[in-house]
Amino acid sequence: MAEQTAVLVAGSGSAERIPDAEIFAAPRSRATRAILMAMSAVSGVAAVHLLAAGVPMEASLTWLLVAVAFAGGLLSTWSPCGYSSVCLLRPSGKYSLRSVVAWSPTLVAHAIGYALGALVLGGALGVTGAVLGLESVHAYAIPAFAALLVAYGAHQFGFVKVPYPQRRCQVPHDARQRFPKWVIGLLYGFSLGLNYLTYVQTPLLYAVTGAALFSGSVTFAVGVFLVFNLGRFLPLVLNALPLTDASITGWLARNQENAAIVDGMLLVGSGFAIAAMLIA
């Protein structure tokens, strides 16, 4: 029989008994991963021919990056800080309509924090790209960009090792003891919204960063990070539903491997889609 671990629920003063995990994410076989990677490549090329035929490359690339940014934000939930924000920024006490309403300022403050983070990071990248004149050379960078997406996709599938420099740091949990919850929501949102202050496990963050930098446009750079951060923010809305902390984090843990596979599929598919746009 599984042992029970007592966890103090933030703000409630009560302990929730969570059974020890007995089922863990199972890695896919090498053959399965190879098949999925090949399917991703074919799907990326097919999508361009079916959905983007006759569409200017700039428009196709923009919509692809917007979709990738949103997906990357959602997939960033599978990281230590993604787990933390969902677990810690919960309504206080027993679930009820009143507790959710009292918690809503935390949700709004968290969204504002993410928006501010996108404004700062996206603005800095857009200005840097404009000052360096990177927009004038972005056509030469696109093939390298596509190749890097495929390489990082292969990394996520476990076939190659690609450098992935990230600051393996979390926001300080003790802050919840010193500030009201809505303030913590704002601080968490801003810290996570800057993306590089904490650990984000999806290389799709690199794709969004590169697109923002080489666009040379502050508007585009801020916009694409607003989309990325929207994906990061939305999982917190689950806390407005009658779902327990254990059920949410348990589902995330069971699907950790699936998230990495989806990440790899998006990276490889996007890389081949961009290559198909270049050839078409």
Side-chain angles (χ1 to χ4, degrees):
M1 182 179 295
E3 295 181 1
Q4 299 244 326
T5 303
V7 176
L8 184 65
V9 179
S12 69
S14 62
E16 180 180 357
R17 299 254 169 206
I18 302 175
D20 290 347
E22 294 181 323
I23 302 175
F24 298 91
R28 301 291 192 279
S29 69
R30 186 177 182 85
T32 300
R33 286 181 280 124
I35 292 171
L36 289 172
M37 186 171 173
M39 288 175 57
S40 303
V42 172
S43 298
V45 175
V48 170
H49 288 290
L50 292 174
L51 304 176
V55 179
M57 181 176 176
E58 184 177 353
S60 299
L61 191 56
T62 298
W63 283 110
L64 174 64
L65 290 170
V66 168
V68 162
F70 182 71
L74 285 175
L75 288 167
S76 71
T77 305
W78 278 271
S79 68
C81 285
Y83 277 69
S84 294
S85 62
V86 173
C87 291
L88 297 177
L89 300 177
R90 293 179 57 81
S92 300
K94 190 175 181 180
Y95 179 86
S96 66
L97 178 60
R98 178 176 294 181
S99 69
V100 172
V101 170
W103 167 79
S104 60
T106 299
L107 183 69
V108 172
H110 198 54
I112 292 172
Y114 268 122
L116 292 174
L119 183 63
V120 172
L121 178 58
L125 290 169
V127 168
T128 301
V131 170
L132 296 177
L134 296 181
E135 185 180 9
S136 62
V137 299
H138 81 279
Y140 303 101
I142 291 177
F145 183 60
L148 283 172
L149 289 177
V150 175
Y152 276 103
H155 172 90
Q156 290 297 86
F157 277 111
F159 291 118
V160 299
K161 288 293 183 183
V162 183
Y164 186 63
Q166 268 281 315
R167 188 163 184 250
R168 294 175 180 262
C169 178
Q170 283 187 258
V171 288
H173 284 192
D174 68 325
R176 62 183 174 161
Q177 314 270 336
R178 296 182 277 123
F179 300 105
K181 188 175 288 187
W182 72 266
V183 175
I184 304 306
L186 179 65
L187 294 176
Y188 261 52
F190 183 64
S191 298
L192 301 182
L194 290 173
N195 290 293
Y196 285 96
L197 288 185
T198 57
Y199 187 33
V200 178
Q201 290 180 290
T202 170
L204 288 169
L205 173 60
Y206 283 175
V208 175
T209 300
L213 184 63
F214 279 88
S215 72
S217 167
V218 173
T219 301
F220 175 83
V222 170
V224 78
F225 268 103
L226 281 173
V227 173
F228 187 88
N229 285 355
L230 175 63
R232 298 205 71 180
F233 162 77
L234 283 179
L236 189 70
V237 179
L238 292 173
N239 286 337
L241 304 175
L243 300 171
T244 65
D245 182 13
S247 66
I248 295 173
T249 55
W251 185 87
L252 289 172
R254 288 191 299 273
N255 287 278
Q256 184 86 33
E257 180 70 16
N258 291 335
I261 292 294
V262 170
D263 205 355
M265 293 178 71
L266 286 171
L267 286 158
V268 172
S270 298
F272 273 88
I274 294 172
M277 292 178 197
L278 291 170
I279 296 171

